[in-house]
Amino acid sequence: MIAYLCKYTPHEIIEAIGEDSFKIEPESASFDIANLKTHNNMCSYVKAALDEIMKNQIKKVVLINCCDSVRRLYDILKKENLDYVYILDLPRKCDKASILIFKEEIKKFIKSLEENLGQTLDYELLRKNLISKNNSPLKNKPSTSPIAIMGARFKEDILNLDKQNDTKNLNLTCTGEYSNKRNYIDNEDILQAYSKSILTSYPCMRMENTEERLEVLNKYKPKGVIYHTIKFCDTYSFEYSNIKEKTKIPVVKIETDYTKQSKGQIKTRLEAFLENIEKDTSLKNKSNKYVMGIDSGSTSTNGVILGQNRNIIAFEVVRTGAKSIESANLVLNNLLKKTCLNRQDIDVIVSTGYGRISIPFADYNVTEISCHGKGAHFVNKNIRTIIDIGGQDSKIIRLNETGDILDFAMNDKCAAGTGRFLEMMARTLDININDMGKESLKWKENLTITSMCTVFAESEVISLIAENKEKADILHALNNSVATRVISLLGRVAKMGDYMLTGGVAKNQGVVSALEEKIGEKIYIYEEPEIIGALGAALIALEK
């Protein structure tokens, strides 16, 4: 059994020589082995592949020389106790010279395999398999108006995102096998034809001519593009910029580290993207008497009850406890008491936030991206940029004049710049979180917190305490640190006022002041900034 990584691998050679082959689809929980054998900044996919090979004791591997990281993977595997490791050099072009060059690479590969396995290649079986492959239906052929998945390779389950419309999505990542070309293999020089077939397949971004990628995109005109990049790999960033500039197709960029944790990181933004491009703004049932939105966040759980005329009947904010369902039930019960309503009086309940799928009494769940956009536009029609600083992540959401979401960015890989960061620092400084903002306005010395990591930032704070620095000065430095991280995130979307700050951190006057200074504009704060997501969920409930 011989494993390979890249679609450009001539794996039909392996099968025609009498050996089974399979493509590695790594899914590591962590990089325990890879981190011992590679640099921390090595491509996450290559580290995941290395972990997969070592943990599953895969003994035979074939690689394609496509980048520095794969070459380093080859170097590492050559030192390990594997039975067979081989790397093919793939030309970046598909002209006549390149076809002949790759043909020679395939011949070297055949010779290496025959020597290692002690078997001879069956050329007739190879020809038969290749003809069968070229006459088979195209893989991943999309239906009308698909979602296009582009950029670096992605997990296969992403191709079935749009379950509501049962759409077969278009795989335009580097693993995509779609092609407008048909290469026939029934000529005398089977290896040359095979070389051409591989080089003229749907191109990855390492190839010189990548125009076919945009041709396929323009041909099917997908309703949206999810563009994936892998941490520490910049190859696909150029294409992402090109798509944004040259097409009018909605596109969202996501970056993963190719671990299982990536699923949680990207779930919210992918769902929000789909909600935005498939939104239905019609009020389907205006006869609802009362609706409720509930926002189950990592720090607080918030609820809003609306009447049929979109008037706020009541709202509630409670601390999220160890179990999100208990906090959600508390919000529901408190709101029913406040309004003297029964549960049966609430026609529709929409949940949002990270705990949205864990609320059993909700009729629907919607991402906080959509809900914040809806809620912010409702309270202030002039808002074009929402800055939401939550307990465990920060979000920037761009709106147009009608409240539709134009773009958004999230930072959910680090606690720095979030409410949780400030909570940790409040404990370190022995101050109530609610007093941090007011106290920080008393600052005199302009200190700086430089660390991008929460743990290291806390070490800086402890050092400043040891130097007898004033608490107000340290708090001012922390608030500036949060504002700096938010401004960095803001740079990922086009800046446009008016600005609105939501989430519990909006109550911190020090952070608000620091943000206003860095943006150069006043920031709008709603009277209860924590309920904007729940308010948006309630407004969506009126449309159900």
Side-chain angles (χ1 to χ4, degrees), residues 122-397:
D122 186 335
Y123 280 87
E124 285 306 312
L125 177 60
L126 175 63
R127 187 187 304 274
K128 180 180 177 181
N129 289 344
L130 292 176
I131 291 174
S132 174
K133 174 185 175 182
N134 275 262
N135 289 332
S136 64
L138 293 175
K139 292 184 179 181
N140 300 315
K141 188 174 182 179
S143 56
T144 305
S145 297
I147 296 292
I149 317 296
M150 298 192 72
R153 62 171 69 222
F154 212 107
K155 302 288 192 301
E156 286 297 317
D157 55 5
I158 200 68
L159 297 175
N160 302 313
L161 267 175
D162 197 359
K163 295 181 175 60
Q164 182 178 355
N165 296 321
D166 195 27
T167 301
K168 181 65 175 178
N169 293 308
L170 182 59
N171 181 4
L172 298 183
T173 68
C174 65
T175 62
E177 297 188 20
Y178 175 85
S179 179
N180 288 318
K181 305 176 180 68
R182 176 70 69 191
N183 297 303
Y184 294 98
I185 308 296
D186 54 350
N187 57 38
E188 292 185 2
D189 194 337
I190 182 68
L191 294 186
Q192 186 166 324
Y194 187 26
S195 172
K196 181 179 179 181
S197 176
I198 292 175
L199 292 179
T200 55
S201 64
Y202 174 74
C204 78
M205 282 300 293
R206 74 176 298 278
M207 303 301 284
E208 183 182 63
N209 184 5
T210 58
E211 290 303 312
E212 185 180 348
R213 297 173 65 86
L214 278 179
E215 289 173 6
V216 174
L217 191 66
N218 291 326
K219 177 180 178 181
Y220 283 97
K221 295 180 173 58
K223 56 188 175 183
V225 173
I226 295 171
Y227 204 94
H228 175 236
T229 60
I230 297 174
K231 192 175 182 181
F232 302 122
C233 177
D234 298 325
T235 305
Y236 287 87
S237 297
F238 302 103
E239 186 181 43
Y240 165 73
S241 301
N242 200 31
I243 292 170
K244 291 209 73 172
E245 290 175 5
K246 294 185 177 180
T247 73
K248 296 182 179 179
I249 303 171
V251 56
V252 62
K253 181 181 178 182
I254 56 174
E255 179 186 271
T256 70
D257 58 4
Y258 228 87
T259 62
K260 292 180 180 179
Q261 285 84 349
S262 296
K263 292 182 179 179
Q265 293 174 359
I266 66 175
K267 181 179 176 63
T268 296
R269 66 193 69 184
L270 293 185
E271 289 181 353
F273 180 67
L274 293 177
E275 288 167 0
N276 189 45
I277 62 178
E278 296 169 356
K279 57 184 177 293
D280 181 4
T281 58
S282 63
L283 290 179
K284 296 179 180 179
N285 184 1
K286 293 185 179 181
S287 63
N288 291 326
K289 290 188 298 183
Y290 299 106
V291 296
M292 177 178 169
I294 183 165
D295 182 0
S296 178
S298 61
T299 303
S300 67
T301 301
N302 320 302
V304 173
I305 290 181
L306 291 183
Q308 62 188 25
N309 295 321
R310 299 192 175 196
N311 53 315
I312 298 177
I313 307 300
F315 64 84
E316 181 76 3
V317 176
V318 304
R319 182 79 177 177
T320 299
K323 290 187 176 181
S324 59
I325 181 58
E326 293 179 357
S327 304
N329 282 326
L330 179 60
V331 167
L332 174 63
N333 292 332
N334 287 352
L335 283 173
L336 292 178
K337 290 177 182 177
K338 280 184 177 181
T339 56
C340 298
L341 295 172
N342 296 316
R343 172 62 184 88
Q344 293 77 14
D345 295 323
I346 310 297
D347 293 280
V348 181
I349 297 179
V350 171
S351 62
T352 189
Y354 277 95
R356 63 186 180 276
I357 61 174
S358 303
I359 301 177
F361 57 77
D363 301 296
Y364 304 93
N365 67 80
V366 180
T367 65
E368 55 267 38
I369 303 291
S370 298
C371 292
H372 272 78
K374 183 77 72 172
H377 184 71
F378 177 77
V379 299
N380 189 331
K381 300 293 189 295
N382 296 321
I383 296 302
R384 296 294 175 269
T385 303
I386 305 166
I387 302 171
D388 176 56
I389 306 179
Q392 67 180 20
D393 69 19
S394 299
K395 311 176 190 71
I396 306 294
I397 306 169

Side-chain angles (χ1 to χ4, degrees), residues 46 63-75 87:
V46 166
L63 304 173
I64 291 293
N65 182 10
C66 61
C67 66
D68 287 340
S69 291
V70 171
R71 285 190 284 274
R72 297 296 75 77
L73 175 62
Y74 173 73
D75 294 338
I87 186 167

Side-chain angles (χ1 to χ4, degrees), residues 440-493:
S440 71
L441 298 179
K442 301 175 183 177
W443 71 277
K444 294 180 181 179
E445 184 180 357
N446 193 14
L447 303 176
T448 302
I449 303 292
T450 59
S451 296
M452 295 296 291
C453 169
T454 299
V455 175
F456 292 150
E458 186 176 26
S459 297
E460 283 194 59
V461 169
I462 292 171
S463 297
L464 291 172
I465 293 173
E467 295 173 16
N468 290 316
K469 296 296 183 181
E470 294 297 327
K471 184 179 292 187
D473 295 334
I474 299 175
L475 290 171
H476 175 66
L478 289 169
N479 290 336
N480 262 326
S481 175
V482 171
T484 298
R485 284 154 179 75
V486 170
I487 293 300
S488 176
L489 188 62
L490 185 62
R492 290 166 53 183
V493 301

Side-chain angles (χ1 to χ4, degrees), residues 94-110:
C94 53
D95 54 18
K96 291 182 179 180
S98 299
I99 292 170
L100 293 175
I101 290 171
F102 194 54
K103 172 188 171 182
E104 293 303 312
E105 280 292 308
I106 294 175
K107 289 170 67 175
K108 293 177 186 176
F109 178 48
I110 293 171

